Amino acid sequence: MAEAIKNRYEFVILFDVENGNPNGDPDAGNLPRIDPESGYGLVTDVCLKRKIRNYVQAVKEEQNGYKIYIKEETPLNRSDNLAYEALKTDDKKIKEAKKNDPDIDLKIRDFMCSNFYDIRTFGAVMTTFVKAALNCGQVRGPVQIGFARSVDPISTQEVTITRVAITTEKDAEEKKTEMGRKNIVPYALYRAEGFISANLARRVTGFSEEDLELLWEAIINMFEIDRSAARGKMAVRELIVFKHSRELGDCPAYKLFDAVKIEREGDAGVPRKYSDYKVWIDNSAIPETVELMRKI
Amino acid sequence: MGYGVRVHVWGDYALFSRSEFKVERCSYDIITPSAAEGLLEAVYWHPGCRWVIDKIYVRKPIQFTSVRRNEIKSKVVPGNVLSVMKGSGKDISISSREEIVQRASMILRDVDYVIDAHFELTSKANDTDNPGKFKDIIMRRLRRGQCFHQPYFGCREFPARFELYDQEVVDTAYPDERRDLGYMLYGFDYTDPKDIQPMFFRAVLENGVLDLRDCEVLR
C-alpha cells in the first residue's frame, strides 16, 4: 500500500446553491436545514461525506482498494439473513481465531482500511466482541468535516407545483391535477471546514497522497454528479487547502480558518449570485511554513 | 502541582451524549470530564501519562438546538470481514438505503470552556520520561496549535478550537449562581478490560465552575 500522508491539512470548502434544497431537514418536512435562532442555513457533515463517497464510487467503480463501505444503493448479492447466520457461526470461530492469532483484530482493521476508501478516509465503527476480547473498535479516519453553515442568513421559499399524472384510479375520477410542494433556497453560499490528521493516517488507516488527491477531486466535483430535481444548481466555488510543513502542524487551525474572509461585494440588498460575494485570504495571518493552495 | 495546564476550548456545536439517551442522543448541559480528557489527549498523550481534569469553567450560557440526521444502524462485523479475507466473495458493504434510521440529536450550541487539568505519570512511563519533558511538549503544542488530531466536542463533526489560556481569572456565564446539573458521566473505568464500568458524579456548577477535585465518584 502507498505511504501515508506526512502533513497536517486544513481545508475550507465554499459551495453555493441556486434555487434548490442543499440538505433537507427530516424534522421540518424536508425544508432546507436552518438554524432557527440565527436564520443561517446548515448542511450536515454526513451530507457532504455522502457526496464524496458517491463520487468515489462513480469514478473508481469498485476498483480494488477503492470500494465504498457505506453505499447508497442496495447491493445485489447480499442477504441479511445469510449475513446474520454467518455472524452466529463466525462468532465462535472468531474466538478460536483470536486464540490462534492475537493480532487478528488489527489484521481485520487493516484489511478494511486497505479495501475501502471511505473507511480509510472517514473511519468506521466495527463491532466489538468483548467476550473474545476482540477489539477492532472504532477506526477514526484522518478526515474530519464539520457542519457547513451559510455565510448569510438564508430565506427559504415554498414553491407549489402541480402534476397532471394522478396516482390512484379513485383520485383520477375526482380531479385532474395534484399539488406538490418544493422547498428551495433562492441563493446561499455555504462554508464548510475540515481537518486532516497525518498521525491518524500514518498510525491507523494508511490514507495516502493518492487518496488525498482523490479527496480533493471528489470535493471539487461532488455536486457535479449529484444533480437532481431537489438540488437546483449547486457548485463548489472554492476549495482552499492549508498544508502544514509538519505532521503535527505549524499553527492553530482556527487562525487559518479566520484568514479566509468572505465579504459582500457591491450593494445588492440580497445576495443572489456568487459574484455578490468576494472571497479573499489574509496572507499576513498565515505562517510562512504553511502552504496555501486554492484548488479551484 | 506544577504540572497543570489551562486550556481554552470553544466551538459552534457540541454533543456530550447522556448515557441514558444514546439512540436519539441528548447532550449533557456541559462537557463531561471524560470528553475533556479526550480533548486533551487529542493534543498530547503518551502511555506514560494520564490526564486528570481539575476544573471546568463554563464561559457561555447553556443553549440547545436539535438536528435530525439520516444515520445507519449497523456496524462492521468482524466475522464477515474474516470470511471475506479468507476468500469468500461476499459483498460486506452496508447499504444506507436498507439500514437507514433517522435520529435526532439535542446538541449544544456556541460552547466555550476553560479546562484546568494536570497529568500524572503512569507505570508505563519509561526511564527517560519525566514530568518536565511531558509538560514542555504539551506547552509547545498548545502554543503552536499542534495536535495529534483535531480535538472535538463529543462527536467528530463538532470540532473544537483550542489555545493555551494564560490569564489568572476566568470569567464565566454564571457568576454568583449555583446550578445543580444532576448526575453526569465521569468516565469509564478500564482497569478490567473485560468488564468496563461507567462512573458517575454529581455535577454542581458554583459560579459557573465545575470543580472535580475531590469529587465523589459513583459506580
Side-chain angles (χ1 to χ4, degrees):
Chain A
M1 213 163 76
E3 227 181 311
I5 52 165
K6 292 201 167 57
N7 306 79
R8 187 181 113 186
Y9 295 84
E10 264 96 42
F11 56 94
V12 177
I13 313 168
L14 299 180
F15 60 92
D16 64 353
V17 58
E18 212 179 302
N19 295 330
N21 182 357
N23 187 199
D25 187 346
D27 259 346
N30 210 34
L31 243 68
R33 286 185 193 273
I34 196 163
D35 176 345
E37 279 155 272
S38 62
Y40 288 93
L42 290 178
V43 173
T44 59
D45 61 311
V46 276
C47 171
L48 299 175
K49 287 183 191 169
R50 176 80 267 153
K51 312 269 183 270
I52 293 170
R53 285 187 165 106
N54 286 353
Y55 180 82
V56 173
Q57 199 181 344
V59 167
K60 292 290 179 182
E61 294 180 334
E62 296 281 294
Q63 245 177 62
N64 266 348
Y66 291 96
K67 292 200 171 100
I68 293 296
Y69 190 70
I70 299 172
K71 284 189 214 158
E72 205 162 15
E73 302 301 325
T74 314
L76 294 168
N77 53 349
R78 191 186 151 187
S79 153
D80 263 4
N81 279 337
L82 275 178
Y84 190 66
E85 278 168 30
L87 162 73
K88 270 190 174 167
T89 53
D90 277 3
D91 191 13
K92 278 180 202 140
K93 276 190 207 150
I94 214 147
K95 268 185 231 168
E96 273 170 48
K98 173 78 189 170
K99 244 183 256 164
N100 300 335
D101 186 355
D103 294 331
I104 189 108
D105 36 6
L106 286 179
K107 281 183 188 159
I108 290 177
R109 188 192 76 187
D110 291 345
F111 175 84
M112 293 307 277
C113 288
S114 61
N115 277 280
F116 291 97
Y117 180 80
D118 55 340
I119 296 185
R120 207 152 65 229
T121 310
F122 304 126
V125 181
M126 315 224 184
T127 40
T128 50
F129 289 112
V130 179
K131 271 187 227 153
L134 178 78
N135 191 1
C136 308
Q138 185 193 15
V139 176
R140 275 176 309 191
V143 180
Q144 187 180 344
I145 301 177
F147 280 12
R149 189 152 53 169
S150 63
V151 173
D152 283 311
I154 61 168
S155 63
T156 64
Q157 195 179 331
E158 190 175 289
V159 182
T160 309
I161 52 170
T162 58
R163 63 168 191 174
V164 291
I166 313 286
T167 320
T168 61
E169 286 283 350
K170 192 167 166 270
D171 286 353
E173 286 164 17
E174 286 163 15
K175 55 188 179 184
K176 289 264 182 314
T177 56
E178 267 182 357
M179 307 286 261
R181 281 178 306 175
K182 279 175 96 161
N183 292 295
I184 60 162
V185 179
Y187 183 82
L189 180 65
Y190 289 82
R191 171 184 178 135
E193 294 170 348
F195 311 83
I196 303 177
S197 157
N199 300 284
L200 288 177
R202 177 164 60 85
R203 294 191 203 195
V204 186
T205 73
F207 182 80
S208 67
E209 292 287 342
E210 290 91 271
D211 291 334
L212 185 69
E213 282 311 311
L214 181 59
L215 178 74
W216 300 143
E217 187 192 319
I219 290 173
I220 290 166
N221 295 306
M222 62 184 171
F223 298 120
E224 305 300 329
I225 60 157
D226 187 58
R227 306 284 173 214
S228 82
R231 293 280 173 265
K233 261 161 67 185
M234 292 190 74
V236 174
R237 295 294 187 157
E238 282 274 2
L239 171 58
I240 299 161
V241 177
F242 298 101
K243 181 181 182 180
H244 295 254
S245 67
R246 280 176 285 201
E247 198 177 55
L248 289 171
D250 302 329
C251 77
Y254 71 88
K255 289 201 170 152
L256 300 175
F257 291 141
D258 289 350
V260 178
K261 317 261 189 198
I262 304 168
E263 282 165 8
R264 288 276 285 281
E265 184 95 298
D267 46 9
V270 191
R272 281 292 181 263
K273 53 187 185 299
Y274 185 59
S275 55
D276 289 340
Y277 287 103
K278 191 176 87 180
V279 178
W280 64 281
I281 297 166
D282 181 6
N283 285 309
S284 65
I286 302 170
E288 275 176 20
T289 49
V290 175
E291 189 188 335
L292 168 80
M293 293 174 275
R294 288 174 95 149
K295 292 276 187 185
I296 299 187
Chain B
M1 210 159 58
Y3 300 120
V5 289
R6 178 171 276 185
V7 186
H8 176 210
V9 290
W10 70 104
D12 294 336
Y13 301 101
L15 172 52
F16 310 108
S17 297
R18 284 177 183 271
S19 41
E20 61 273 31
F21 302 126
K22 60 181 188 184
V23 175
E24 297 241 299
R25 293 173 292 263
C26 177
S27 178
Y28 281 112
D29 290 351
I30 61 164
I31 187 170
T32 60
S34 61
E37 269 172 51
L39 246 143
L40 296 172
E41 281 168 5
V43 176
Y44 180 74
W45 179 78
H46 183 280
C49 78
R50 185 171 74 88
W51 282 104
V52 181
I53 308 296
D54 298 322
K55 278 183 176 183
I56 293 169
Y57 302 79
V58 181
R59 299 183 70 215
K60 290 258 177 86
I62 297 162
Q63 302 175 78
F64 284 94
T65 186
S66 154
V67 176
R68 186 178 291 273
R69 287 175 285 186
N70 289 325
E71 302 178 4
I72 53 159
K73 56 187 180 211
S74 41
K75 304 176 202 167
V76 177
V77 180
N80 288 355
V81 180
L82 209 61
S83 74
V84 173
M85 282 167 80
K86 285 178 181 155
S88 90
K90 208 162 35 167
D91 183 357
I92 47 170
S93 58
I94 294 175
S95 156
S96 60
R97 198 155 289 174
E98 267 177 32
E99 310 277 312
I100 199 166
V101 278
Q102 289 193 335
R103 285 185 185 150
S105 311
M106 278 292 278
I107 62 177
L108 291 168
R109 196 165 90 68
D110 198 14
V111 294
D112 191 327
Y113 306 107
V114 167
I115 298 166
D116 276 357
H118 69 275
F119 58 86
E120 286 170 357
L121 294 194
T122 66
S123 56
K124 286 191 176 138
N126 57 36
D127 299 341
T128 57
D129 292 333
N130 62 66
K133 171 179 146 187
F134 287 154
K135 170 96 179 180
D136 282 349
I137 299 173
I138 291 158
M139 296 306 273
R140 195 162 60 228
R141 288 203 183 173
L142 286 170
R143 279 201 198 95
R144 291 183 185 162
Q146 294 180 318
C147 52
F148 180 83
H149 61 83
Q150 189 68 28
Y152 48 83
F153 286 123
C155 298
R156 289 192 81 198
E157 58 268 39
F158 309 123
R161 300 175 173 200
F162 66 96
E163 67 183 6
L164 193 69
Y165 194 84
D166 48 14
Q167 285 160 49
E168 280 292 312
V169 185
V170 187
D171 52 318
T172 72
Y174 302 104
D176 315 313
E177 210 180 306
R178 184 189 149 91
R179 280 184 160 237
D180 191 339
L181 304 179
Y183 283 103
M184 274 178 72
L185 180 76
Y186 184 82
F188 286 92
D189 181 357
Y190 294 97
T191 41
D192 180 4
K194 294 204 173 143
D195 185 25
I196 297 162
Q197 290 292 328
M199 300 179 287
F200 294 88
F201 73 108
R202 186 76 187 235
V204 179
L205 276 186
E206 295 276 6
N207 303 322
V209 184
L210 177 68
D211 195 337
L212 292 152
R213 295 170 301 178
D214 309 315
C215 82
E216 191 192 2
V217 173
L218 307 146
R219 282 158 212 262

